[in-house]
Amino acid sequence: MTTNVLKSFAKINLALHVTGKLTNLHKIESIVKFIDLYDTISINEINKHKHKVSFIGNFSKKIKKDNTVDKLFEILEKKKFLNNKKFQVRIKKNIPQESGLGGGSMNAATILNFVKKKKFIKINQKKILQITKLIGSDVILGINPKSAILSSNSKIKKFLKTPNFNILLVRPNFGCSTKKIYSGVKRFSKSKFNNPKKNMMNLNSLLKYENDLEKVAFSKYPKLKILKSFLENLNKPLFVRMTGSGSVMVAYYQKKQDCELAKVRFKRKFKNYWCNTSKTI
């Protein structure tokens, strides 16, 4: 049977505000872009009784059985959307776990897009939204992976043409627990993105925003504060900001040459930290 190869792109939060709390989840608003770092997903239909999901690559270790992809298939089976069709999925993990890059969430979104596009399932947008919410709050962003502003009322506005950046991604030799980070949030920000406009994504606007989760992350993982300070003095980035709940820090540059030189200098200082250059798409 034909094996389909898919690219599952990582996302970054250029800004993130925590605006309140629901029963179990926090309300957030965020400016999101996708980058050209991606996991590779090989998927094909199989004549078996069960789905077969496996992970390979540098960041495949310690992926739990209740990962986002297994959750997706479990939900599709429970709702009887797949009509007894089974799939073999192999994912090469290039996106680090517990990084704030949304690797697992985007894997699930990419596969959901695939089975819908190939008409293995027939569901409307409302049901897609319901499925993504059952897997994770940011999965919906990967259904149409474009630059977007997520407002505090959970509405997403996509923007096709926005400024792009060369970026340096760095991750210390530990990840951040999303649950642990959000549990430390005690103060909420006032909503700023409920009337999303394209100019909110330009450089002058981005410089004014922040990631509300940085304060909590820095208190629980002091090395992240040191890391950000070092990056801010590395080849004059436009700005440096943690993505999501961490632990990846992102330094933004206009010129690719400056970004590549920053990577070389960073590796001299932090030899054991993961670091990669990329660009927004």
Side-chain angles (χ1 to χ4, degrees), residues 80-265:
K80 299 182 179 179
F81 286 143
L82 286 174
N83 296 318
N84 295 319
K85 292 181 175 66
K86 306 299 178 187
F87 293 90
Q88 178 171 278
V89 179
R90 195 181 197 198
I91 303 176
K92 184 179 180 182
K93 295 297 295 180
N94 301 311
I95 303 170
Q97 299 175 58
E98 295 188 326
S99 62
L101 296 172
S105 294
M106 298 310 113
N107 290 168
T110 302
I111 293 170
L112 183 55
N113 274 339
F114 170 78
V115 294
K116 182 176 184 294
K117 182 180 178 180
K118 294 295 184 179
K119 298 182 180 179
F120 288 111
I121 61 173
K122 294 181 180 180
I123 54 175
N124 58 30
Q125 194 63 28
K126 183 178 179 180
K127 288 181 179 177
I128 286 177
L129 181 59
Q130 291 172 349
I131 291 169
T132 60
K133 283 184 176 180
L134 291 171
I135 303 168
S137 58
D138 60 346
V139 177
I140 190 62
L141 293 166
I143 295 300
N144 181 16
K146 306 289 184 183
S147 300
I149 294 180
L150 170 66
S151 61
S152 60
N153 54 17
S154 298
K155 292 184 178 180
I156 300 172
K157 185 169 182 178
K158 303 286 184 178
F159 294 92
L160 297 180
K161 294 183 179 180
T162 56
N164 282 315
F165 301 96
N166 291 284
I167 58 174
L168 177 65
L169 304 160
V170 300
R171 181 187 184 276
N173 48 17
F174 60 86
C176 289
S177 162
T178 299
K179 185 177 181 180
K180 185 176 180 180
I181 295 297
Y182 274 98
S183 68
V185 176
K186 305 301 179 186
R187 295 182 180 180
F188 304 124
S189 293
K190 186 178 179 181
S191 298
K192 299 181 180 69
F193 301 155
N194 277 349
N195 185 25
K197 297 178 181 178
K198 187 176 179 179
N199 63 7
M200 291 177 171
M201 284 195 167
N202 66 34
L203 180 58
N204 289 334
S205 295
L206 290 172
L207 291 172
K208 299 174 186 176
Y209 303 137
E210 57 186 23
N211 181 342
D212 287 350
L213 299 177
E214 281 188 7
K215 292 179 182 178
V216 179
F218 291 169
S219 67
K220 295 183 181 296
Y221 306 95
K223 286 183 179 179
L224 289 177
K225 187 174 183 179
I226 296 171
L227 192 56
K228 181 176 182 178
S229 179
F230 181 82
L231 289 172
E232 287 175 332
N233 292 287
L234 195 61
N235 258 40
K236 298 181 179 179
L238 299 168
F239 62 99
V240 177
R241 200 160 290 152
M242 187 176 79
T243 179
S245 56
S247 61
V248 164
M249 285 286 173
V250 185
Y252 294 80
Y253 296 88
Q254 284 184 329
K255 295 181 180 179
K256 182 179 180 180
Q257 183 179 358
D258 291 337
C259 189
E260 293 291 349
L261 182 57
K263 178 182 177 181
V264 172
R265 293 179 60 195

